[in-house]
Amino acid sequence: GSRVKYHNEIVGYNSRLDELQSAFLRAKLPLLDADNARRAEIAAHYTSELGAIDRIKLPPVAEGCEPVWHLYVIRHSQRDALAQSLAKSDVGTVIHYPIPPHLQPAYASLGSKEGSYPISELLHREVLSLPIGPTMSNGDVARVIDAIRQVA
């Protein structure tokens, strides 16, 4: 329940799948495995190339898990500055969920304040989603990595 993205005023639901969207998704279903494999390739490349940058924390993957990499979310103590620098290099990033749930107006009645959940608050200050998608070329991926190396 919000008028502005990521600023939840009331508790709401995310249920956007209507019949037309279902039809499109059904047509795309045969491509899903290949798309997920391509995302995994990109994630592996990000992980191998960005792992040596001390200021960046890579997404952890639990043993025995194989994520589909809908998002590739890194952490950086100067996340906003990093995002701005990458934007200057024409690398789009997204800050998903910049406000922790316990600090959203929708949950104000629970009485949580700044500092109530310090780990959640830290994560919400540091997370940054890098571009990842099955249509990215190897050159696109290399450009993202090069831009991060220059500014991180």
Side-chain angles (χ1 to χ4, degrees):
S2 66
R3 290 177 236 195
V4 177
K5 190 171 188 169
Y6 302 128
H7 295 269
N8 301 309
E9 300 166 29
I10 61 172
V11 176
Y13 299 94
N14 182 353
S15 56
R16 298 179 281 217
L17 191 63
D18 59 32
E19 293 82 4
L20 186 57
Q21 289 171 326
S22 296
F24 286 123
L25 290 174
R26 184 174 182 197
K28 289 182 70 171
L29 193 56
L31 307 173
L32 184 60
D33 288 338
D35 285 355
N36 287 343
R38 177 62 183 149
R39 286 176 182 274
E41 287 174 14
I42 295 167
H45 202 62
Y46 280 159
T47 299
S48 70
E49 297 297 321
L50 300 176
I53 301 173
D54 292 336
R55 296 183 64 198
I56 291 180
K57 294 178 184 144
L58 300 178
V61 177
E63 189 175 328
C65 293
E66 293 182 32
V68 294
W69 298 107
H70 167 67
L71 300 172
Y72 191 90
V73 182
I74 62 170
R75 291 176 51 201
H76 192 279
S77 62
Q78 301 294 315
R79 182 259 329 263
D80 294 338
L82 176 60
Q84 290 172 0
S85 294
L86 291 173
K88 289 177 185 172
S89 297
D90 291 326
V91 172
T93 59
V94 178
I95 299 170
H96 287 97
Y97 312 107
I99 302 169
H102 68 281
L103 298 178
Q104 294 281 353
Y107 299 104
S109 65
L110 299 176
S112 297
K113 305 285 185 226
E114 181 87 28
S116 295
Y117 299 96
I119 295 171
S120 176
E121 293 165 21
L122 175 67
L123 291 173
H124 282 83
R125 286 190 303 269
E126 292 186 348
V127 295
L128 184 67
S129 296
L130 299 182
I132 189 165
T135 61
M136 288 180 72
S137 69
N138 291 340
D140 294 334
V141 176
R143 194 170 61 78
V144 171
I145 292 167
D146 289 342
I148 291 171
R149 283 184 178 146
Q150 290 182 14
V151 298

